[in-house]
């Protein structure tokens, strides 16, 4: 018998086709005009051979090899759920008593599932918070540098993640859109909390049809679809700040700045202007100065500056620009340029970040409350900046700076992860692997034997969303969707909530954790809260049972003709509607940031040479700039064992793209297996070439599961193609402490040995005799 079960994921909404207790296919959500292909991998993921079938414990951990033991090379021993729950509870109790709650690292960064109740990270943090506290993580890998910076400059992060100027306004009023990093459609395949309607292509096609002129500044032509007819200006990675400063120089030299707006809506223009003109440091930031840095000819910079100054223009940048050394700077300078030209708050003009970074940015919308699990409190209040995990493990008690605060790292004894994967998301994995030896115990709730589970001590098998009921919702999507349980749990997998409830019971707080609700009661309870929030804002919603049987609910789309421009009220009356900055104005110079005294993030935007870029001396040995971008065939590491990702690989290896000339000088041709390396590590990749990729740049998507040739040995070749063995692990600056993966130099050569197999999609070594 075949059944259809409504369901949703970050990568799209669908009906799961279920036959004989197995998910055998998917049918895209009928209301989604561009469902994308990622949902096709769902059946492969649910029934993958690398699903974790029961709880396991690392053999060495059971034998007492804990602190100081390199993880990843040991066998695993199967244990019963009862034993696993007791081991975890005893260890949590012991470590809390001996070392205090902050010695439990429960930051657990990661995307988890679209389902909001069973959201693994939220469940874990609720559990750890109610149990006495933990050390958390603040901000996101996606845009940590920007999250620290923008509140100082524009008084809000809405310009990055929230309600930005929408496409309706841009299409009506702007003539030009300057797109740093382009507007890659592949990134619009996903929405955190689940896509109901993939809207980016709708909006982009409308804009193209309306004749909006796109100027694409990025190393990779494919970052904007052909049908946008964008003008492509290739730029050397990591140098956008220099381009923007030079554009500002043209504006000032030609008197094109908006003096009135600068006087009434901005502070610090005198300081920034002096820097641009070179009065502060003796270097005028002219187009001739920026040309050799960016590789964009000076006359082209002049023309670009004039065009942006004279035409109604929207200025945007992808989030990738700030995941780089001093990644705060291009973001600040882009906002500054929009302010200097008086564009902030003008209908359809101004600045916003990420239109090409995720689905739904700038999609015209009504503000409807999203369905969510309430955030849990962490009684310790302790946290680290999201990407400083290796630093934390290496330096217990060590001091560091972050956004004006001096903080100290905790002494970590337990690392606990649910719904994220540091062996996917973190940089310099070989360094992480060494630091990963410092905790006594690493607890991981996972669905698959990915690299994180393989480097854990206690592995608790989690269900996928198809094995439980839930509700998907995102602030960027009009649809709230029911996620019906489609099949029984695979093997002995359990819901994160249920396993944590059992551990809470051992620790004496089950009822506080569950509030005596089961899954059904939780969903009804959260739904009722959401309904009340909606009612308060005048939005009508159905009752739970009607919603559940229909499978989805849709918020009204704003009527055609309605448009939204961010900062419009501020523009109209800066005294009545000040920004939430210390001065209420756009801060071209920030006294607050200046007072921190950081040389890597001073009081106004500056050009600082990245530690790694094509202008650096190391470029002699490592002459290719590696951009490790978001994969078109997966969500991060999720879906990697699925058919969509598999079809894109070359002999099972992640593709790496070079300009054909860069391939030719290395004697390489498409389809070759190559070794990509630098002083931090090496991985294999399958070669592709693209004349639309700038010379000197290599592109390799993130997400192929880390698969070291010799598991547990730092520095071992990743045979699969995870670029994070190559990327540097340094904070963007002391201000943001964000990840700076995009500042990375490598070399590429033919791989000559016998091709080692990719083993990471099969379970690791399991010892069945013990325990
Ligand atoms: N080099 C480089 N590195 C990067 C980036 C880059 O551009 N370049 N980008 C960074 C960015 S922006 C991000 S957001 C991060 C993403 O990093 P992550 O969000 O950590 O990556 P995911 O692979 O989505 O990890 C989610 C994990 O949760 C698991 N999971 C899913 N559902 C459940 C569940 O219900 N229960 C449990 N227990 N587990 C579940 C999945 O199996 C998966 O392993 O990567 C960052 N890393
Ligand atoms: N299909 C899919 N979509 C995703 C994700 C996924 O895993 N899969 N992940 C989601 C997540 S978590 C996030 S945070 C977003 C991230 O969204 P982004 O950060 O915007 O994504 P990237 O793919 O890293 O980068 C976009 C483009 O920026 C360009 N670029 C890189 N460096 C520079 C530079 O220095 N200057 C200029 N001008 N351009 C540069 C590159 O050519 C690249 O193609 O994507 C989301 N969308
Ligand atoms: Mo992200």
């Amino acid at each position: 018998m075949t059944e259809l079960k409504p369901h949703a994921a970050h990568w799209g909404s669908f009906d799961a086709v279920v036959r004989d207790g197995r998910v055998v296919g998917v049918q895209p959500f009928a209301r989604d005009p561009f469902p994308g292909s990622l949902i096709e991998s769902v059946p492969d993921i649910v029934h993958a051979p690398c699903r974790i079938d029961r709880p396991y414990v690392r053999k060495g951990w059971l034998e007492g090899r804990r602190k100081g033991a390199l993880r990843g090379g040991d066998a695993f021993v199967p244990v019963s759920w009862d034993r696993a729950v007791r081991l975890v509870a005893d260890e949590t109790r012991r470590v809390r008593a001996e070392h205090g709650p902050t010695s439990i690292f429960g930051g657990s960064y990661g995307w988890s599932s679209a389902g909001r109740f069973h959201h693994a990270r939220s469940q874990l943090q609720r559990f750890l918070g109610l149990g006495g506290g933990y050390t958390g993580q603040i901000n996101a890998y996606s845009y940590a540098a920007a999250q620290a910076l923008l509140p100082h400059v524009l008084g809000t992060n809405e310009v990055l993640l929230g309600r930005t100027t929408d496409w309706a306004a841009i299409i009506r009023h702007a003539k030009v859109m300057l797109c740093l990093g382009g507007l890659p459609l592949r990134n619009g395949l996903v929405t955190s909390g689940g896509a109901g309607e993939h809207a980016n292509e709708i909006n982009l096609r409308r804009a193209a049809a309306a004749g909006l002129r796109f100027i694409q500044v990025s190393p990779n032509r494919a970052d904007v679809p052909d049908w946008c007819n964008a003008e492509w200006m290739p730029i050397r990675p990591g140098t956008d700040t220099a381009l923007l400063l030079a554009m500002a120089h043209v504006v000032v030299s030609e008197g094109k700045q908006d003096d009135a707006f600068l006087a009434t809506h901005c502070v610090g223009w005198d300081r920034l202007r002096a820097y641009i003109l070179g009065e502060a440091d003796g270097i005028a930031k002219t187009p001739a100065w920026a040309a050799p840095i960016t590789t964009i000819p000076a006359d082209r910079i002049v023309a670009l500056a004039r065009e942006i100054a004279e035409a109604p223009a929207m200025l945007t940048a992808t989030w990738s620009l700030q995941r780089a050394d001093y990644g705060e700077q291009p973001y600040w300078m882009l906002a500054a340029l929009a302010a200097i030209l008086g564009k902030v708050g003008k209908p359809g003009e101004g600045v916003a970040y990420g239109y090409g970074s995720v689905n739904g940015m700038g999609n015209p919308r009504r503000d409807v409350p999203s369905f969510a699990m309430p955030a849990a409190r962490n009684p310790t209040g302790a946290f680290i900046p999201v990407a400083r995990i290796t630093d934390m493990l290496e330096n217990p008690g060590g001091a560091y700076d972050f956004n004006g605060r001096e903080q100290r790292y905790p002494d970590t004894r337990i690392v606990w992860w649910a719904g994220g994967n540091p062996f996917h998301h973190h940089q310099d994995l070989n360094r992480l692997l060494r630091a990963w030896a410092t905790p006594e115990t690493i607890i991981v709730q996972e669905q698959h034997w990915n690299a994180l589970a393989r480097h854990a001590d206690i592995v608790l098998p989690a269900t996928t969303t198809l094995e439980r009921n839930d509700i998907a919702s995102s602030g960027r999507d009009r649809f709230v969707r029911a996620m019906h349980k489609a099949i029984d749990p695979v093997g002995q997998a359990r819901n994160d909530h249920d396993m944590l409830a059992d551990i809470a019971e051992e620790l004496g707080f089950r009822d506080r954790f569950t509030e005596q609700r089961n899954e059904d009661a939780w969903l009804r309870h959260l739904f009722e809260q959401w309904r009340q929030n909606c009612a308060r804002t005048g939005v009508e919603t159905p009752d739970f049972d009607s919603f559940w049987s229909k499978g989805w609910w849709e918020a009204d789309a704003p009527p055609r003709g309605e448009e939204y421009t961010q900062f419009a009220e501020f523009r109209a009356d800066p005294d009545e509607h000040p920004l939430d900055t210390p001065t209420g104005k756009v801060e071209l110079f920030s006294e607050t940031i200046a007072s921190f005294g950081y040389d890597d993030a001073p009081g106004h935007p500056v050009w600082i040479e990245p530690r790694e870029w094509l202008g650096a001396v190391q470029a002699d040995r490592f002459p290719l700039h590696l951009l490790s971008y978001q994969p078109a065939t997966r969500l991060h590491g999720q879906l990697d064992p699925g058919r969509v990702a598999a079809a894109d690989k070359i002999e099972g290896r992640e593709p790496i793209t070079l300009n054909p000339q860069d391939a030719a000088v290395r004697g390489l041709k498409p389809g070759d297996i190559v070794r990509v390396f630098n002083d931090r590590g090496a991985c294999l990749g399958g070669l592709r070439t693209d004349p639309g990729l700038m010379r000197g740049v290599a592109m390799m998507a993130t997400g192929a599961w880390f698969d070291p040739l010799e598991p547990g040995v730092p520095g071992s070749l990743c045979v699969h193609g995870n670029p994070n063995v190559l990327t540097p692990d340094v904070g963007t600056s002391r201000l943001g402490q964000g990840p700076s993966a995009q500042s990375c130099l490598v070399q590429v050569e033919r791989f000559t040995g016998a091709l080692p197999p990719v083993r990471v999609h099969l379970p690791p070594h399991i010892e069945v005799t013990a325990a």
Side-chain angles (χ1 to χ4, degrees):
M1 193 182 82
T2 303
E3 281 183 291
L4 294 180
K5 296 284 189 177
H7 214 77
H10 298 301
W11 43 86
S13 300
F14 55 90
D15 282 344
V17 184
V18 181
R19 199 176 302 139
D20 302 328
R22 286 178 73 88
V23 179
V24 295
V26 292
Q27 291 181 2
F29 182 42
R31 300 296 303 276
D32 189 350
F34 294 101
S37 62
L38 295 186
I39 53 176
E40 289 164 22
S41 286
V42 166
D44 309 333
I45 294 307
V46 174
H47 301 290
C50 57
R51 277 299 295 272
I52 305 170
D53 61 343
R54 55 177 303 165
Y56 288 93
V57 181
R58 179 170 69 84
K59 188 166 179 247
W61 187 88
L62 280 176
E63 291 167 356
R65 288 192 301 281
R66 300 189 180 179
K67 203 172 167 58
L70 276 174
R71 292 169 166 97
D74 264 353
F76 284 92
V77 177
V79 296
S80 67
W81 262 113
D82 280 354
R83 177 143 188 238
V85 163
R86 246 176 300 119
L87 286 173
V88 171
D90 289 349
E91 187 61 358
T92 308
R93 192 185 296 114
R94 179 188 73 81
V95 165
R96 269 224 176 89
E98 288 176 13
H99 305 284
T102 58
S103 64
I104 301 178
F105 180 70
S108 195
Y109 179 81
W111 269 49
S112 306
S113 69
R116 301 289 88 173
F117 168 61
H118 287 293
H119 189 258
R121 185 193 198 201
S122 306
Q123 288 289 345
L124 175 61
Q125 296 195 334
R126 181 180 157 77
F127 164 87
L128 290 173
L130 291 171
Y134 60 98
T135 296
Q137 276 164 300
I138 194 173
N139 293 341
Y141 272 79
S142 319
Y143 32 54
Q147 281 176 295
L149 171 81
L150 292 171
H152 294 295
V153 174
L154 293 168
T156 178
N157 271 325
E158 284 283 291
V159 70
L160 171 72
L161 6 130
R163 193 158 183 216
T164 58
T165 297
D166 68 17
W167 281 100
I170 297 170
I171 291 169
R172 165 113 31 103
H173 304 284
K175 291 277 170 285
V176 187
M177 189 155 176
L178 175 65
C179 307
L180 307 181
L183 297 164
L185 276 181
R186 62 158 196 276
N187 288 357
L189 290 173
V190 308
T191 308
S192 176
E197 176 185 68
H198 284 89
N200 288 19
E201 184 158 351
I202 311 173
N203 288 314
L204 209 48
R205 283 196 182 269
R206 279 197 188 130
L212 181 66
R213 178 166 137 74
F214 295 95
I215 302 176
Q216 174 200 356
V217 177
S218 98
N220 176 25
R221 172 160 228 156
D223 283 340
V224 178
D226 292 346
W227 41 261
C228 284
N229 295 316
E231 177 179 343
W232 179 41
M233 293 175 64
I235 187 170
R236 192 187 250 177
T239 66
D240 300 74
T241 310
L243 168 69
L244 295 167
L245 283 165
M247 288 170 68
H249 192 280
V250 175
V251 169
V252 184
S253 319
E254 300 185 357
K256 291 186 161 64
Q257 74 277 11
D258 186 336
D259 287 315
F261 187 83
L262 284 163
T264 51
H265 290 72
C266 305
V267 292
W269 173 226
D270 51 333
R271 304 287 291 270
L272 180 57
R273 185 175 176 277
Y275 175 75
I276 291 167
L277 295 177
E279 290 162 7
D281 61 356
I283 302 167
K285 312 303 175 301
T286 60
W289 164 82
I293 297 175
T294 58
T295 70
I296 301 175
D299 56 351
R300 198 55 207 89
I301 298 177
V302 174
L304 177 66
R306 288 181 184 151
E307 182 171 358
I308 297 298
E310 280 154 21
M314 185 69 195
L315 278 49
T316 189
T318 47
W319 295 338
S320 54
L321 264 79
Q322 50 81 67
R323 288 198 304 280
D325 285 350
Y326 320 113
E328 296 81 5
Q329 302 308 319
Y331 266 40
W332 197 349
M333 196 52 215
L334 191 67
L337 185 61
I340 293 166
L341 292 169
K343 292 185 185 296
V344 175
K346 255 192 201 172
E349 295 191 66
V351 63
Y353 307 90
Y355 288 106
S357 296
V358 79
N359 180 47
M361 286 296 285
N363 194 31
R365 73 185 208 196
R366 284 279 156 75
D367 267 327
V368 175
S370 34
F371 175 95
M373 184 78 184
R377 204 178 75 87
N378 177 7
T380 71
F383 63 83
I384 61 164
V386 71
R388 298 279 50 84
I389 173 162
T390 301
D391 286 358
M392 172 189 82
L393 295 174
E394 285 177 350
N395 305 301
Y400 64 97
D401 291 309
F402 172 52
N403 202 1
R405 278 178 288 228
E406 218 189 279
Q407 305 203 147
R408 282 187 185 279
Y409 290 117
D411 180 5
T412 306
R413 303 300 171 122
I414 290 181
V415 168
W416 196 330
W417 233 289
N421 179 1
F423 283 87
H424 162 78
H425 64 235
H426 198 57
Q427 285 60 64
D428 199 348
L429 289 180
N430 290 309
R431 195 182 143 209
L432 174 67
L433 188 56
R434 284 184 205 99
W436 202 248
T438 57
E440 288 160 43
T441 301
I442 294 175
I443 304 164
V444 166
Q445 302 167 209
E446 249 299 339
Q447 302 156 340
H448 297 100
W449 279 114
N450 60 14
L452 173 65
R454 286 166 194 261
H455 291 83
D457 298 326
I458 304 178
V459 181
L460 306 175
T463 50
T464 68
T465 62
L466 279 302
E467 296 146 57
R468 61 204 191 204
N469 295 300
D470 214 335
I471 295 176
S473 171
S474 157
R476 295 196 193 100
D477 196 278
R478 288 196 299 125
F479 292 87
V480 175
R481 280 129 304 126
M483 299 164 68
H484 287 202
K485 176 177 169 179
I487 57 167
D488 285 330
V490 169
Q492 296 180 23
R494 301 190 61 202
N495 299 338
D496 296 282
H497 177 79
D498 298 336
M499 59 177 101
L500 291 167
D502 282 1
I503 302 166
E505 175 157 337
E506 287 284 318
L507 294 170
F509 64 99
R510 183 185 191 102
D511 285 355
R512 276 197 295 136
F513 178 69
T514 62
E515 298 183 9
Q516 293 177 292
R517 287 188 196 97
N518 62 13
E519 179 190 73
D520 182 61
W522 268 107
L523 291 179
R524 286 172 188 275
H525 168 71
L526 295 172
F527 191 87
E528 196 45 45
Q529 286 188 327
W530 171 73
R531 271 194 93 189
Q532 283 167 17
N533 291 339
C534 288
R536 237 171 268 135
T537 55
V539 177
E540 259 186 64
T541 49
D543 62 54
F544 179 83
D545 291 310
S546 328
F547 161 75
W548 191 256
S549 60
K550 183 175 183 190
W552 49 275
W553 173 81
E554 175 184 18
D556 291 342
R560 267 187 182 271
E562 197 172 294
E563 60 179 57
Y564 174 75
T565 293
Q566 198 171 20
F567 303 120
E569 291 181 330
F570 164 68
R571 183 184 182 81
D573 190 341
D575 298 321
E576 198 57 35
H577 300 283
L579 299 183
D580 198 10
T581 56
T583 55
K585 302 189 174 181
V586 179
E587 302 217 345
L588 304 178
F589 182 92
S590 160
E591 292 290 352
T592 310
I593 295 177
S595 75
F596 301 158
Y598 299 155
D599 54 359
D600 53 3
H604 60 74
V606 291
W607 162 249
I608 312 175
E609 276 196 26
R611 286 165 284 240
E612 287 186 36
W613 68 303
L614 289 170
V617 277
Q618 312 95 293
D620 289 349
R621 285 175 62 219
F622 302 115
L624 294 167
H625 191 123
L626 178 73
L627 296 176
S628 43
Y629 63 102
Q630 308 293 329
T633 61
R634 315 175 271 262
L635 171 69
H636 316 134
Q638 301 191 51
L639 307 177
D640 186 48
R643 66 191 72 178
V644 179
D648 190 54
K649 288 180 187 168
I650 296 169
E651 293 189 58
R653 321 296 142 153
E654 187 60 26
I656 177 170
T657 306
L658 295 182
N659 179 284
Q661 284 174 285
D662 284 328
V665 295
R666 289 168 176 76
L668 300 171
K669 57 179 189 326
D672 283 350
I673 300 299
V674 294
R675 180 172 164 270
V676 191
F677 63 99
N678 60 21
D679 288 336
R680 287 177 291 267
C683 68
L684 297 184
L687 190 76
R688 241 175 228 158
T689 59
D690 180 355
L693 181 60
M694 221 178 138
R695 277 208 73 175
V697 178
M699 291 195 67
M700 189 171 200
T702 58
W705 290 0
F706 176 55
D707 192 358
L709 188 58
E710 290 178 85
V713 179
S716 180
L717 175 76
C718 171
V719 303
H720 193 189
N722 183 325
N724 273 328
V725 299
L726 303 158
T727 51
D729 174 15
V730 206
T732 50
S733 75
R734 285 181 283 170
L735 181 67
Q737 291 287 12
S740 46
Q742 304 307 339
S743 299
C744 179
L745 294 175
V746 299
Q747 179 57 293
V748 171
E749 64 181 19
R750 185 190 307 281
F751 177 71
T752 45
L755 193 57
V758 172
R759 294 170 299 188
V760 71
H761 291 152
L762 294 170
H765 181 56
I766 285 163
E767 226 173 78
V768 260
T769 46

